[in-house]
Amino acid sequence: AAPDGRAGARRTPTKLALAGGIGVLAVAVIGTTVWSNSGDGEQPADTAVATTASPDEDTLPILDLPDPTPTTTAASSEVDDTCRADRGDQNSGAGVIAAFNHAYYAQRNAAAARALATPNSTIVPADQLQPFIDAVPPGTNYCVAITPLSGTAYAVDLTELRPEGAQRIPQTITTKKVDGRWFIDVVT
C-alpha cells in the first residue's frame, strides 16, 4: 500500500514515462487526424510537424509543434467535391458521373444509366442493372461527392439517403472521352 493508505497509488519513473509516452502518442494521433481532415490535404513546407520530440528535465518527451496557421485555402475550380444530385452532363468526367447517378436514382432507368458507359465498361448491361435499381427503396435520395484523382479518374463518395437511413458507398471511377463526350469506363 502507498504511504497514504491507497493501494497502487505509488508513481514510479516507469509509470510516469509510460503515461507521458501515451500522452505524446495521443497528441500526435489527434494532431495528424485534424491536419489530414483540414484543407485540401496539402501542407506548406514551412508548417510541417516535427516528428522528433526532445526530452525535458524529467525525461518526458516534448512535441516540437509549429505555430498554428490558418487552414482556409482558395477553392480550386478543378475540384468538385461538393455533394451533388444534379442531372450532370457528358461534358466532363465529373459531369458524366453525376449524370449516371441521376439516371440511376432520380430516373430509375437502367437503359439511360448504361448509355452513359463505354461499351466495354465494368457496368453490367441494362437488363442486369435494372434489378439493382428496382431494389433501391422508393423515396431514396442521393448525393455524390466527386474528387478528381487524375484527368480521367475520380474518387467518388456516393451517399444513398434511404428511408431507413443513410449509406455511404466509396468508389473509384475512371471515365473516358469518346468523340467529344465523356463516358464511365471502370467502377471499382
Side-chain angles (χ1 to χ4, degrees):
D4 64 0
R6 293 179 294 151
R10 187 173 160 199
R11 295 183 182 180
T12 65
T14 304
K15 287 182 183 178
L16 289 174
L18 180 60
I22 291 171
V24 168
L25 181 61
V27 168
V29 169
I30 291 168
T32 301
T33 302
V34 169
W35 175 77
S36 67
N37 289 330
S38 66
D40 61 2
E42 295 181 10
Q43 182 178 11
D46 61 337
T47 61
V49 174
T51 57
T52 60
S54 57
D56 68 6
E57 63 265 6
D58 295 325
T59 68
L60 294 177
I62 299 173
L63 289 177
D64 185 19
L65 298 174
D67 292 332
T69 57
T71 58
T72 57
T73 57
S76 168
S77 60
E78 296 177 14
V79 176
D80 186 13
D81 62 356
T82 57
C83 203
R84 62 190 278 188
D86 60 289
R87 292 180 178 267
D89 56 45
Q90 286 187 280
N91 298 326
S92 67
V96 76
I97 293 167
F100 178 88
N101 283 288
H102 179 77
Y104 193 101
Y105 290 100
Q107 295 177 326
R108 300 177 65 86
N109 185 330
R114 186 58 178 92
L116 296 165
T118 61
N120 295 325
S121 174
T122 57
I123 296 174
V124 298
D127 62 330
Q128 294 174 28
L129 185 59
Q130 191 63 53
F132 290 102
I133 293 173
D134 294 341
V136 175
T140 297
N141 288 313
Y142 73 98
C143 71
V144 61
I146 304 166
T147 305
L149 299 174
S150 71
T152 58
Y154 299 85
V156 177
D157 189 6
L158 170 64
T159 302
E160 288 184 344
L161 306 166
R162 294 177 175 235
E164 68 274 8
Q167 176 182 355
R168 289 183 60 212
I169 305 167
Q171 303 169 319
T172 301
I173 298 179
T174 304
T175 59
K176 187 174 188 178
K177 191 172 187 179
V178 178
D179 296 329
R181 295 186 312 169
W182 286 88
F183 294 88
I184 292 178
D185 194 32
V186 178
V187 179
T188 55

